[in-house]
Amino acid sequence: MADVAIHVHELSKRYRIGELESGYRVARRLLLRRAPRQELWAVRNVSFDVEQGQTLAIVGRNGAGKSTLLKLLARITEPTSGYADIHGRVGALLEIGTGFHPQLTGRENVFLNGSLLGMRNAEVQRKFDEIVEFAGVEKFIDTPVKRYSSGMYVRLAFAVAAFLEPEILIVDEVLAVGDAEFQKRCLGRMTEVSREGRTVLFVSHNMQAVRRLCSHAILLEHGELVESGDTEKVVRHYLSSIEAPEEGRREWHGDARPGDRICRLNSIAVTKPNGETSSTFMSNQPIHVTLDFDLTEVPSALAAGFDLVSYDMTTVFRTMQADLPESERPRLRVGRNVITCTIPAGLLNGGRFYINARIWLHNISWFVHDDQVLQFDVVAAHGDSLFLNTDSRHRPGVISPILRWETSEPVPGEAVPAPLASPLT
């Protein structure tokens, strides 16, 4: 059995809601038998183990208790009950400001954090150049960090946490502060840390990053652990718990309708082949997307359609009725128009998708340009292919089409590659 880096048993943290009370006020309230102050269990009876070298994601909605749990594990706050056994040095990046003294320079804070991790100055010095290079703060390393921008601060804080060789690295959603290039470098560094056999705990709302980095995950809801295990299983549970209140249809009325005097969008819906609206579809069935809109005139360059985007806001494709040859495209008219597009079966991979409504005058102006007007989930179920039905972590991408393959006869006269040497010779 692998060594356990973190053992959490019935861990709980309770907060009292309201202002602090003096001893006199507490005694007075008790004597007068007034109602006790309200309490909030940020974390309640959470138990799990993290093996050494494992990358664990902690997912959940805002307020689910993720950050509180990390603070308990990092010993920043004390639990109300239960305990967590931590085996190894912990490097934590929980929020901007954690672990740095604002009056000290970047250089001094690097060495201060190293000493807090139990490292000698010589060990910190050996890593110092890598830290500064990663953070990109060479010119400001001897400036007090209180004068750093939030981006500089978080880059240096992450570099310190990741490069000073803690056995356990804890990273909260604070990475959202950085730009896309910095986030990519951070994820790459955390991947290197996990390959070196160290343990990583990662909190993020970016499910693409979670799927890429973490082998295991836990899901928190209202401070309680409701799911744990394989990352893909937990992520799917989490995404399915974020309900789509419109259940496959979104309507607008009156002046609230997106658009202007020429075009107004009435509704948009996603339906199954039998016409039933839904927010969940199997990947081996087609999905029909229907736009209902009114036109006061029909300019010749008008195009109506939508962008399909994935859960991490990657555009999968844009489609317009004007994409078709003129003889095949739906005819638009003054008054009400209802047009439907079919997303073919077997195209989309499992995951959550959003529809961005798009109606515009080509190369001139937008009539409707509204993002995330509708959402739906796709459950991977591609035909009878053994390979497609495996865990989707092994089949990346937002689309998963079954493409045609053929055998081709070699062209006569072409050089034949030499056979590979046998490994036994």
Side-chain angles (χ1 to χ4, degrees):
M1 180 178 177
D3 294 334
V4 174
I6 301 173
H7 172 65
V8 177
H9 178 73
E10 298 293 326
L11 196 62
S12 301
K13 180 63 179 181
R14 179 187 62 199
Y15 292 102
R16 288 187 174 88
I17 302 175
E19 61 184 21
L20 291 173
E21 290 183 298
S22 65
Y24 166 76
R25 288 183 177 273
V26 173
R28 186 170 181 270
R29 177 167 53 80
L30 293 175
L31 289 172
L32 295 177
R33 297 182 179 179
R34 291 181 176 174
R37 288 190 173 274
Q38 291 184 322
E39 296 177 342
L40 169 68
W41 288 93
V43 174
R44 191 162 195 170
N45 299 329
V46 170
S47 299
F48 61 92
D49 289 337
V50 184
E51 296 178 0
Q52 182 179 338
Q54 196 174 77
T55 52
L56 178 76
I58 303 174
V59 300
R61 302 186 189 191
N62 290 330
K66 305 184 298 296
S67 295
T68 301
L69 176 58
L70 292 190
K71 289 178 181 178
L72 291 168
L73 297 180
R75 311 298 198 209
I76 292 173
T77 187
E78 290 292 321
T80 303
S81 61
Y83 63 88
D85 289 334
I86 311 293
H87 304 284
R89 297 185 305 199
V90 176
L93 182 59
L94 303 184
E95 58 188 45
I96 296 178
T98 300
F100 275 9
H101 193 295
Q103 302 293 338
L104 299 180
T105 66
R107 183 186 303 274
E108 291 167 337
N109 272 296
V110 171
F111 282 91
L112 174 62
N113 274 260
S115 64
L116 292 175
L117 285 171
M119 301 179 70
R120 296 186 178 90
N121 278 358
E123 294 178 276
V124 179
Q125 188 63 55
R126 192 169 62 249
K127 292 287 183 178
F128 185 80
D129 290 342
E130 289 182 86
I131 292 171
V132 175
E133 181 182 359
F134 185 93
V137 294
E138 294 92 339
K139 294 181 180 179
F140 309 98
I141 193 63
D142 291 309
T143 300
V145 297
K146 67 180 181 181
R147 297 196 176 96
Y148 283 15
S149 68
S150 60
M152 292 166 59
Y153 203 113
V154 76
R155 288 201 304 271
L156 183 59
F158 178 85
V160 168
F163 281 88
L164 289 186
E165 299 184 349
E167 281 85 10
I168 301 169
L169 177 62
I170 299 177
V171 182
D172 202 347
E173 188 67 69
V174 67
L175 291 185
V177 175
D179 57 24
E181 190 273 338
F182 171 66
Q183 292 180 33
K184 181 179 179 180
R185 290 166 60 200
C186 289
L187 290 172
R189 178 57 190 165
M190 285 190 283
T191 301
E192 292 175 11
V193 168
S194 65
R195 287 174 179 168
E196 292 167 1
R198 287 180 273 163
T199 307
V200 178
L201 268 63
F202 182 49
V203 166
S204 178
H205 290 287
N206 185 334
M207 294 300 105
Q208 184 183 35
V210 166
R211 280 170 158 142
R212 171 186 164 186
L213 178 67
C214 302
S215 58
H216 294 75
I218 63 174
L219 171 61
L220 296 181
E221 289 182 4
H222 306 296
E224 298 184 358
L225 192 154
V226 297
E227 180 74 275
S228 65
D230 176 78
T231 299
E232 188 63 28
K233 179 185 72 170
V234 174
V235 166
R236 290 192 183 198
H237 187 156
Y238 168 59
L239 292 177
S240 65
S241 71
I242 305 175
E243 298 178 355
E246 61 274 357
E247 283 299 320
R249 185 177 183 83
R250 178 84 177 274
E251 295 182 350
W252 298 267
H253 301 280
D255 292 338
R257 294 177 299 167
D260 62 7
R261 64 175 185 82
I262 293 178
C263 174
R264 290 285 186 179
L265 182 61
N266 300 316
S267 68
I268 189 165
V270 286
T271 58
K272 296 180 178 180
N274 62 4
E276 175 190 354
T277 60
S278 178
S279 59
T280 305
F281 298 86
M282 304 301 290
S283 63
N284 59 0
Q285 295 180 335
I287 302 170
H288 303 297
V289 182
T290 300
L291 279 70
D292 184 326
F293 54 96
D294 291 330
L295 295 174
T296 58
E297 58 182 270
V298 186
S300 60
L302 187 141
F306 62 91
D307 292 349
L308 186 72
V309 299
S310 63
Y311 55 86
D312 61 349
M313 299 301 111
T314 298
T315 301
V316 182
F317 60 75
R318 170 175 292 174
T319 181
M320 296 280 181
Q321 44 76 231
D323 294 339
L324 296 172
E326 189 171 354
S327 61
E328 299 177 24
R329 75 181 60 158
R331 295 295 179 185
L332 303 180
R333 60 178 182 266
V334 173
R336 186 180 177 189
N337 293 266
V338 179
I339 58 176
T340 299
C341 170
T342 299
I343 301 175
L347 176 66
L348 299 179
N349 209 346
R352 171 152 294 184
F353 296 88
Y354 299 93
I355 290 177
N356 297 342
R358 300 286 187 259
I359 303 178
W360 69 320
L361 206 55
H362 185 61
N363 286 336
I364 299 177
S365 62
W366 291 102
F367 298 134
V368 177
H369 191 279
D370 286 44
D371 292 343
Q372 300 181 48
V373 297
L374 201 62
Q375 70 181 42
F376 62 90
D377 294 310
V378 173
V379 178
H382 289 281
D384 299 320
S385 169
L386 172 65
F387 300 99
L388 282 166
N389 285 326
T390 57
D391 191 318
S392 65
R393 275 195 304 120
H394 303 300
R395 180 168 288 270
V398 292
I399 64 171
S400 185
I402 301 175
L403 303 178
R404 184 175 179 81
W405 287 77
E406 297 178 342
T407 300
S408 299
E409 291 296 328
V411 177
E414 280 193 346
V416 178
L420 294 176
S422 168
L424 300 179
T425 60

